[in-house]
Amino acid sequence: MKLSEVTTDIVMAHCGCSDDESRELIEIYSPAAKKYVADYTSCTAEQLDEYDDIPYAFLCIACEMYSNRSMTVDVDRLNPLAKSILDLRCRSFIA
């Protein structure tokens, strides 16, 4: 599956939510998570669609945004698997 094919329903299923309030939040977090993935990797949307593992990293990040809505969190690290996927696809030397 390509990142551009990941729907709100897929993100909601990954996050384990199904109500309308959650849908509204997911619709806010999904573009932010896609932007995070693109900025982290310095890839365009078209380039991100070339990798089958990017949707998983995106889902992890979107779910993290949904699950941790407060300003402070106990864990300040990115999901290790999502981070390694993004690192593999990173086109920037800054990451």
Side-chain angles (χ1 to χ4, degrees), residues 36-52:
Y36 181 89
V37 170
D39 288 351
Y40 189 103
T41 60
S42 296
C43 291
T44 65
E46 294 77 21
Q47 290 168 327
L48 290 172
D49 271 349
E50 296 174 15
Y51 305 112
D52 292 334

PDB file of all heavy atoms in Angstrom, residues 36-52:
ATOM      1  N   TYR A  36       5.255  15.385   8.947  1.00  0.00           N
ATOM      2  CA  TYR A  36       6.387  14.968   9.772  1.00  0.00           C
ATOM      3  C   TYR A  36       7.249  13.958   9.021  1.00  0.00           C
ATOM      4  O   TYR A  36       8.475  14.085   8.974  1.00  0.00           O
ATOM      5  CB  TYR A  36       5.890  14.367  11.086  1.00  0.00           C
ATOM      6  CG  TYR A  36       7.008  13.940  12.006  1.00  0.00           C
ATOM      7  CD1 TYR A  36       7.548  14.833  12.915  1.00  0.00           C
ATOM      8  CD2 TYR A  36       7.528  12.650  11.949  1.00  0.00           C
ATOM      9  CE1 TYR A  36       8.580  14.448  13.751  1.00  0.00           C
ATOM     10  CE2 TYR A  36       8.560  12.265  12.776  1.00  0.00           C
ATOM     11  CZ  TYR A  36       9.084  13.167  13.676  1.00  0.00           C
ATOM     12  OH  TYR A  36      10.115  12.776  14.497  1.00  0.00           O
ATOM     13  N   VAL A  37       6.602  12.966   8.418  1.00  0.00           N
ATOM     14  CA  VAL A  37       7.334  11.944   7.652  1.00  0.00           C
ATOM     15  C   VAL A  37       8.083  12.584   6.485  1.00  0.00           C
ATOM     16  O   VAL A  37       9.260  12.299   6.257  1.00  0.00           O
ATOM     17  CB  VAL A  37       6.375  10.837   7.153  1.00  0.00           C
ATOM     18  CG1 VAL A  37       7.054   9.914   6.164  1.00  0.00           C
ATOM     19  CG2 VAL A  37       5.826  10.045   8.335  1.00  0.00           C
ATOM     20  N   ALA A  38       7.421  13.459   5.760  1.00  0.00           N
ATOM     21  CA  ALA A  38       8.054  14.121   4.612  1.00  0.00           C
ATOM     22  C   ALA A  38       9.223  15.000   5.060  1.00  0.00           C
ATOM     23  O   ALA A  38      10.294  14.974   4.452  1.00  0.00           O
ATOM     24  CB  ALA A  38       7.024  14.952   3.848  1.00  0.00           C
ATOM     25  N   ASP A  39       9.021  15.764   6.123  1.00  0.00           N
ATOM     26  CA  ASP A  39      10.093  16.636   6.616  1.00  0.00           C
ATOM     27  C   ASP A  39      11.268  15.827   7.153  1.00  0.00           C
ATOM     28  O   ASP A  39      12.426  16.163   6.926  1.00  0.00           O
ATOM     29  CB  ASP A  39       9.574  17.579   7.697  1.00  0.00           C
ATOM     30  CG  ASP A  39       8.674  18.672   7.159  1.00  0.00           C
ATOM     31  OD1 ASP A  39       8.573  18.820   5.917  1.00  0.00           O
ATOM     32  OD2 ASP A  39       8.056  19.368   7.979  1.00  0.00           O
ATOM     33  N   TYR A  40      10.975  14.763   7.884  1.00  0.00           N
ATOM     34  CA  TYR A  40      12.022  13.921   8.464  1.00  0.00           C
ATOM     35  C   TYR A  40      12.882  13.305   7.370  1.00  0.00           C
ATOM     36  O   TYR A  40      14.103  13.264   7.474  1.00  0.00           O
ATOM     37  CB  TYR A  40      11.386  12.832   9.329  1.00  0.00           C
ATOM     38  CG  TYR A  40      12.376  12.037  10.139  1.00  0.00           C
ATOM     39  CD1 TYR A  40      12.518  12.288  11.496  1.00  0.00           C
ATOM     40  CD2 TYR A  40      13.149  11.031   9.580  1.00  0.00           C
ATOM     41  CE1 TYR A  40      13.412  11.559  12.269  1.00  0.00           C
ATOM     42  CE2 TYR A  40      14.052  10.309  10.336  1.00  0.00           C
ATOM     43  CZ  TYR A  40      14.183  10.569  11.678  1.00  0.00           C
ATOM     44  OH  TYR A  40      15.077   9.839  12.432  1.00  0.00           O
ATOM     45  N   THR A  41      12.240  12.815   6.328  1.00  0.00           N
ATOM     46  CA  THR A  41      12.967  12.111   5.268  1.00  0.00           C
ATOM     47  C   THR A  41      13.456  13.021   4.148  1.00  0.00           C
ATOM     48  O   THR A  41      14.273  12.605   3.340  1.00  0.00           O
ATOM     49  CB  THR A  41      12.073  11.028   4.628  1.00  0.00           C
ATOM     50  OG1 THR A  41      10.913  11.662   4.077  1.00  0.00           O
ATOM     51  CG2 THR A  41      11.675   9.964   5.644  1.00  0.00           C
ATOM     52  N   SER A  42      12.933  14.233   4.092  1.00  0.00           N
ATOM     53  CA  SER A  42      13.202  15.153   2.972  1.00  0.00           C
ATOM     54  C   SER A  42      12.752  14.558   1.646  1.00  0.00           C
ATOM     55  O   SER A  42      13.341  14.816   0.598  1.00  0.00           O
ATOM     56  CB  SER A  42      14.691  15.528   2.908  1.00  0.00           C
ATOM     57  OG  SER A  42      15.070  16.246   4.046  1.00  0.00           O
ATOM     58  N   CYS A  43      11.695  13.759   1.687  1.00  0.00           N
ATOM     59  CA  CYS A  43      11.123  13.151   0.490  1.00  0.00           C
ATOM     60  C   CYS A  43       9.820  13.859   0.120  1.00  0.00           C
ATOM     61  O   CYS A  43       9.108  14.349   0.989  1.00  0.00           O
ATOM     62  CB  CYS A  43      10.803  11.667   0.724  1.00  0.00           C
ATOM     63  SG  CYS A  43      12.236  10.603   0.901  1.00  0.00           S
ATOM     64  N   THR A  44       9.526  13.860  -1.158  1.00  0.00           N
ATOM     65  CA  THR A  44       8.237  14.367  -1.618  1.00  0.00           C
ATOM     66  C   THR A  44       7.175  13.292  -1.388  1.00  0.00           C
ATOM     67  O   THR A  44       7.503  12.126  -1.141  1.00  0.00           O
ATOM     68  CB  THR A  44       8.288  14.717  -3.112  1.00  0.00           C
ATOM     69  OG1 THR A  44       8.501  13.499  -3.848  1.00  0.00           O
ATOM     70  CG2 THR A  44       9.385  15.725  -3.417  1.00  0.00           C
ATOM     71  N   ALA A  45       5.924  13.667  -1.525  1.00  0.00           N
ATOM     72  CA  ALA A  45       4.832  12.696  -1.401  1.00  0.00           C
ATOM     73  C   ALA A  45       4.989  11.585  -2.431  1.00  0.00           C
ATOM     74  O   ALA A  45       4.746  10.413  -2.129  1.00  0.00           O
ATOM     75  CB  ALA A  45       3.486  13.395  -1.548  1.00  0.00           C
ATOM     76  N   GLU A  46       5.408  11.946  -3.623  1.00  0.00           N
ATOM     77  CA  GLU A  46       5.602  10.948  -4.680  1.00  0.00           C
ATOM     78  C   GLU A  46       6.730   9.985  -4.317  1.00  0.00           C
ATOM     79  O   GLU A  46       6.633   8.771  -4.541  1.00  0.00           O
ATOM     80  CB  GLU A  46       5.906  11.630  -6.018  1.00  0.00           C
ATOM     81  CG  GLU A  46       4.757  12.449  -6.585  1.00  0.00           C
ATOM     82  CD  GLU A  46       4.582  13.808  -5.905  1.00  0.00           C
ATOM     83  OE1 GLU A  46       5.543  14.332  -5.266  1.00  0.00           O
ATOM     84  OE2 GLU A  46       3.464  14.350  -5.993  1.00  0.00           O
ATOM     85  N   GLN A  47       7.809  10.506  -3.760  1.00  0.00           N
ATOM     86  CA  GLN A  47       8.919   9.643  -3.356  1.00  0.00           C
ATOM     87  C   GLN A  47       8.509   8.725  -2.211  1.00  0.00           C
ATOM     88  O   GLN A  47       8.875   7.552  -2.186  1.00  0.00           O
ATOM     89  CB  GLN A  47      10.128  10.492  -2.946  1.00  0.00           C
ATOM     90  CG  GLN A  47      10.787  11.199  -4.117  1.00  0.00           C
ATOM     91  CD  GLN A  47      11.784  12.258  -3.680  1.00  0.00           C
ATOM     92  OE1 GLN A  47      11.617  12.918  -2.648  1.00  0.00           O
ATOM     93  NE2 GLN A  47      12.826  12.434  -4.483  1.00  0.00           N
ATOM     94  N   LEU A  48       7.731   9.237  -1.268  1.00  0.00           N
ATOM     95  CA  LEU A  48       7.289   8.415  -0.143  1.00  0.00           C
ATOM     96  C   LEU A  48       6.403   7.263  -0.610  1.00  0.00           C
ATOM     97  O   LEU A  48       6.414   6.189  -0.004  1.00  0.00           O
ATOM     98  CB  LEU A  48       6.547   9.274   0.886  1.00  0.00           C
ATOM     99  CG  LEU A  48       7.414  10.260   1.657  1.00  0.00           C
ATOM    100  CD1 LEU A  48       6.541  11.179   2.500  1.00  0.00           C
ATOM    101  CD2 LEU A  48       8.443   9.541   2.509  1.00  0.00           C
ATOM    102  N   ASP A  49       5.658   7.462  -1.687  1.00  0.00           N
ATOM    103  CA  ASP A  49       4.805   6.406  -2.228  1.00  0.00           C
ATOM    104  C   ASP A  49       5.607   5.250  -2.817  1.00  0.00           C
ATOM    105  O   ASP A  49       5.049   4.186  -3.076  1.00  0.00           O
ATOM    106  CB  ASP A  49       3.855   6.966  -3.291  1.00  0.00           C
ATOM    107  CG  ASP A  49       2.549   7.458  -2.703  1.00  0.00           C
ATOM    108  OD1 ASP A  49       2.282   7.191  -1.512  1.00  0.00           O
ATOM    109  OD2 ASP A  49       1.787   8.099  -3.445  1.00  0.00           O
ATOM    110  N   GLU A  50       6.890   5.422  -3.011  1.00  0.00           N
ATOM    111  CA  GLU A  50       7.736   4.362  -3.565  1.00  0.00           C
ATOM    112  C   GLU A  50       8.091   3.297  -2.532  1.00  0.00           C
ATOM    113  O   GLU A  50       8.559   2.218  -2.888  1.00  0.00           O
ATOM    114  CB  GLU A  50       9.033   4.961  -4.128  1.00  0.00           C
ATOM    115  CG  GLU A  50       8.820   5.899  -5.293  1.00  0.00           C
ATOM    116  CD  GLU A  50      10.111   6.575  -5.730  1.00  0.00           C
ATOM    117  OE1 GLU A  50      11.207   6.128  -5.330  1.00  0.00           O
ATOM    118  OE2 GLU A  50      10.007   7.569  -6.471  1.00  0.00           O
ATOM    119  N   TYR A  51       7.885   3.584  -1.246  1.00  0.00           N
ATOM    120  CA  TYR A  51       8.325   2.690  -0.175  1.00  0.00           C
ATOM    121  C   TYR A  51       7.141   2.047   0.533  1.00  0.00           C
ATOM    122  O   TYR A  51       6.269   2.744   1.058  1.00  0.00           O
ATOM    123  CB  TYR A  51       9.179   3.457   0.832  1.00  0.00           C
ATOM    124  CG  TYR A  51      10.346   4.174   0.202  1.00  0.00           C
ATOM    125  CD1 TYR A  51      10.399   5.558   0.164  1.00  0.00           C
ATOM    126  CD2 TYR A  51      11.399   3.460  -0.372  1.00  0.00           C
ATOM    127  CE1 TYR A  51      11.471   6.217  -0.414  1.00  0.00           C
ATOM    128  CE2 TYR A  51      12.472   4.112  -0.955  1.00  0.00           C
ATOM    129  CZ  TYR A  51      12.495   5.489  -0.965  1.00  0.00           C
ATOM    130  OH  TYR A  51      13.554   6.144  -1.544  1.00  0.00           O
ATOM    131  N   ASP A  52       7.138   0.721   0.571  1.00  0.00           N
ATOM    132  CA  ASP A  52       6.039  -0.014   1.197  1.00  0.00           C
ATOM    133  C   ASP A  52       6.041   0.076   2.718  1.00  0.00           C
ATOM    134  O   ASP A  52       5.025  -0.215   3.346  1.00  0.00           O
ATOM    135  CB  ASP A  52       6.094  -1.488   0.793  1.00  0.00           C
ATOM    136  CG  ASP A  52       5.797  -1.703  -0.675  1.00  0.00           C
ATOM    137  OD1 ASP A  52       5.092  -0.866  -1.266  1.00  0.00           O
ATOM    138  OD2 ASP A  52       6.276  -2.710  -1.234  1.00  0.00           O
TER     139      ASP A  52
END
